[in-house]
Amino acid sequence: MLISKVREDADLLVVGGGPAGLGAAIEAGRRGARVLLVDEHNRPGGQLFKQIHKFFGSHAHYAGSRGFEIGNRLLIDARDAGVSVLLSTKVLGIFPDRRVSLLTDGQKVVTIKPRAVVLATGGGERGASFPGWTLPGVITAGAAQTFCNIHRVLPGKRVVMMGSGNVGLIVAYQLLQAGADVIALVEAKEEIGGYQVHGSKILRAGVPICTGHTVKEARGSTHVEEVVIAAVDASCSEIPGTEKSLQADTLCLAVGLTSDQRLATMAGCRLCFSPEFGGTIPWHDKNLETSIPGIFVAGDCAGIEEANTALDEGRIAGIGAACALRTISEAEREAATAEIWDRLNDLRSGSFGTRRRMGKERIMRSGHGQEISCSDCEASGTVTDNTDTVPTESCPDSFLIGDDHPPVGKGKKPVAVFYCDQDIPCNPCISACPVGAITMTPSLTGIPRLDSDLCTGCGRCLSVCPGQAIVLFREEYGQSQSTLTFVYEYLPLPQKGERVRAVDRFGAVLCNAEVIRVSQTQQQNRSPLVTIAYDRLYADRVRFIERKREEL
């Protein structure tokens, strides 16, 4: 429940109202703790309320739901758990005896002494310096997302995105949805750092991804007018003579995140260096308790990861705090967290997650009185930067490999085709299928398989897929055509009977096509399905249609 003044009798103080903080508050509240959650913003939910895309993960992580929908569910759960929520409140300091000073509404300072604290303070975006980086129009990807999805303000008309982790890819897509023209996505490495399915969406929209390039300079008199990029060698040094100028008014930086450990440092918590999680983070044990008894960490504060892992870490921290408060026993804590740890290990498996799982194990194994040596990092096969790239030995030959195989048809019957060949932790398509035609290995990072004989072509799997990696393909339509059904989340929406141009996986125009069906239902959750008919000669190459663009 929302409150207007500090609850001084709180057993547990949770700092931060994002997925980790809400997860911790809910679990502790359900187990009898008096919980006060504070957040500096005027609305709880953290980053969730600017996340309009659908989340990966499992049913327990609300996979297939959009971020703001997950935020609303968590707020309801927090209310039902009796959590007191105090907004527009900043933590000024946390002291060794666990006293915490709060500034409410920018006016009143109150000091409380909870019996336990969960720090879920999140992280911050990294910047990049180059000539012109201080020009108006150079912003972080998170700022662009806030402009578009919270304030409904387009930060620019012609945008260059620097960085190809999931943040850069997702925000580039959302800028396209908002009506911006994304000129290019620039990545210094030879492959994108984020998921293939996100990269494929960008390419289908006709946006070039310039791997092996970096931003050399931003130019302009009073604001960004031009972005100069250049190719780089294996050591990321610029190659002279490869410069290229892009006309743009906005340059978005998506170059990594770093943990916010300021309060943990102030409280005296021991810090450790973990390259897998963005650098320096508070040491913690398997219950997310730090070296200071009664102080817990969760989410990006405990290491940069995805929102679904932050939610589960928050749940573990909240249960651990309830045990520290003696509202549950140690046996109850172990039983309650065992399933959550299994889910976390699933999320931290595969080529994207294994090094993070190994990193967490190494942190917890080290003990709060020990240092983590560089040899430990080398032995685990991890890299020492803060990108989302996978270990070199796990990189596919091309980040587009998952979108490279032709669809397999069943004559006149529409069947689902999966372009999801990467071990991403995700499975909402399985529960969405009403006939059980989709299966997967027990691991959350398994590759989905389709029994095309069972598939009815209902399209439910298309609407829940967070990566838009599923289409419906009908090989034979009429005398000489094929059809393709796909999710289309741009405005304006094509209309039935409209003539459009079909494109390949790089956004290149292949042929003319006709829209024969547009489906928008509540079950599709704001993901309209568009079906086009086109010449069967291009059946194995068509992936999407050329986007219609409105004048800004």
Side-chain angles (χ1 to χ4, degrees):
M1 60 180 176
L2 292 176
I3 59 175
S4 58
K5 63 179 182 179
V6 175
R7 180 175 179 175
E8 298 189 33
D9 65 340
D11 297 319
L12 173 65
L13 173 67
V14 178
V15 182
L22 285 170
I26 291 165
E27 295 300 333
R30 286 173 174 171
R31 288 164 175 79
R34 295 189 297 259
V35 182
L36 171 63
L37 183 149
V38 299
D39 194 278
E40 63 182 333
H41 300 291
N42 59 8
R43 183 181 188 183
Q47 301 296 313
L48 289 173
F49 284 97
K50 63 180 185 181
Q51 310 289 355
I52 63 173
H53 57 279
K54 294 177 181 176
F55 274 42
F56 292 86
S58 66
H59 178 73
H61 308 111
Y62 311 105
S65 298
R66 301 183 188 275
F68 64 87
E69 296 170 333
I70 298 171
N72 286 328
R73 292 186 191 183
L74 293 176
L75 293 183
I76 293 172
D77 289 345
R79 180 199 64 195
D80 293 345
V83 176
S84 298
V85 179
L86 186 63
L87 301 175
S88 301
T89 300
K90 295 184 178 181
V91 177
L92 297 180
I94 179 169
F95 304 97
D97 61 355
R98 255 196 331 268
R99 285 182 300 117
V100 182
S101 291
L102 307 174
L103 176 66
T104 62
D105 291 323
Q107 298 176 352
K108 185 178 180 181
V109 177
V110 179
T111 299
I112 63 173
K113 189 176 181 181
R115 294 165 56 201
V117 178
V118 174
L119 300 176
T121 49
E125 292 184 275
R126 295 182 185 273
S129 59
F130 43 80
W133 73 281
T134 59
L135 278 172
V138 179
I139 61 175
T140 63
Q145 197 174 46
T146 300
F147 272 123
C148 288
N149 300 343
I150 299 296
H151 302 299
R152 302 295 191 265
V153 174
L154 197 63
K157 295 182 178 181
R158 293 176 60 83
V159 182
V160 173
M161 179 67 68
M162 180 182 183
S164 71
N166 283 332
V167 171
L169 295 170
I170 289 170
V171 175
Y173 176 69
Q174 291 175 359
L175 285 166
L176 291 170
Q177 289 180 294
D181 192 2
V182 179
I183 306 303
L185 193 147
V186 182
E187 169 57 52
K189 293 183 179 290
E190 289 301 323
E191 60 278 319
I192 64 171
Y195 295 159
Q196 293 173 6
V197 290
H198 288 322
S200 294
K201 284 191 297 185
I202 298 300
L203 285 168
R204 289 196 299 267
V207 178
I209 298 179
C210 305
T211 55
H213 284 72
T214 190
V215 171
K216 179 181 177 69
E217 183 180 2
R219 296 174 179 169
S221 54
T222 60
H223 62 279
V224 173
E225 299 173 5
E226 181 183 8
V227 176
V228 180
I229 66 173
V232 295
D233 58 23
S235 64
C236 287
S237 298
E238 294 176 13
I239 301 174
T242 61
E243 295 83 358
K244 181 184 296 185
S245 177
L246 304 175
Q247 300 303 307
D249 57 21
T250 305
L251 172 58
C252 287
L253 308 180
V255 292
L257 303 167
T258 183
S259 169
D260 184 351
Q261 74 278 355
R262 290 173 295 177
L263 289 178
T265 302
M266 191 179 296
C269 301
R270 189 179 77 84
L271 304 180
C272 62
F273 180 77
S274 177
E276 302 90 348
F277 295 102
T280 302
I281 61 173
W283 176 90
H284 52 273
D285 63 14
K286 68 174 184 177
N287 300 309
L288 281 299
E289 190 170 19
T290 68
S291 59
I292 304 298
I295 297 182
F296 298 76
V297 290
D300 283 351
C301 174
I304 303 300
E305 290 190 88
E306 302 289 343
N308 44 22
T309 53
L311 176 59
D312 268 349
E313 280 202 339
R315 288 165 169 161
I316 290 173
I319 295 169
C323 181
L325 295 169
R326 301 191 183 282
T327 62
I328 61 171
S329 67
E330 291 187 7
E332 289 172 316
R333 179 193 64 196
E334 294 300 313
T337 58
E339 181 182 350
I340 304 175
W341 270 113
D342 286 342
R343 292 202 303 262
L344 275 173
N345 287 333
D346 256 354
L347 290 172
R348 292 170 178 154
S349 60
S351 56
F352 282 91
T354 297
R355 72 188 186 99
R356 292 190 174 101
R357 187 185 74 249
M358 295 172 67
K360 280 289 180 182
E361 291 172 352
R362 191 171 61 254
I363 290 168
M364 294 184 293
R365 189 172 60 242
S366 68
H368 67 76
Q370 303 174 23
E371 293 296 328
I372 300 175
S373 69
C374 293
S375 60
D376 289 333
C377 299
E378 293 168 1
S380 69
T382 60
V383 296
T384 56
D385 60 10
N386 183 36
T387 63
D388 285 330
T389 51
V390 299
T392 303
E393 64 272 17
S394 300
C395 289
D397 293 334
S398 166
F399 65 85
L400 292 170
I401 191 171
D403 200 22
D404 199 24
H405 59 80
V408 178
K410 296 285 287 186
K412 296 182 179 181
K413 174 187 175 183
V415 293
V417 178
F418 287 74
Y419 294 110
C420 181
D421 295 341
Q422 204 173 34
D423 50 359
I424 297 170
C426 188
N427 67 4
C429 56
I430 294 177
S431 56
C433 182
V435 296
I438 306 170
T439 57
M440 186 184 289
T441 59
S443 170
L444 187 60
T445 54
I447 306 299
R449 301 300 180 200
L450 178 77
D451 186 332
S452 58
D453 292 327
L454 289 178
C455 179
T456 63
C458 68
R460 293 183 185 178
C461 55
L462 277 68
S463 300
V464 300
C465 178
Q468 297 179 22
I470 312 173
V471 297
L472 286 181
F473 174 63
R474 178 163 44 183
E475 187 176 21
E476 299 176 11
Y477 178 73
Q479 292 186 343
S480 60
Q481 291 184 306
S482 298
T483 70
L484 193 74
T485 302
F486 46 84
V487 170
Y488 191 91
E489 292 184 338
Y490 301 106
L491 292 176
L493 196 63
Q495 300 300 309
K496 182 179 179 180
E498 185 175 343
R499 300 293 293 179
V500 294
R501 299 203 292 180
V503 301
D504 65 11
R505 62 193 180 103
F506 298 109
V509 174
L510 291 174
C511 60
N512 291 323
E514 180 183 355
V515 177
I516 61 173
R517 187 167 186 261
V518 178
S519 173
Q520 295 186 80
T521 66
Q522 186 175 4
Q523 189 179 46
Q524 290 167 3
N525 190 11
R526 304 176 183 87
S527 292
L529 299 183
V530 173
T531 303
I532 59 171
Y534 53 93
D535 193 319
R536 197 177 301 159
L537 179 67
Y538 300 95
D540 62 341
R541 297 170 61 193
V542 170
R543 296 290 187 274
F544 203 58
I545 60 174
E546 190 176 43
R547 288 185 303 120
K548 295 174 63 178
R549 303 183 185 184
E550 291 182 317
E551 290 297 324
L552 298 177

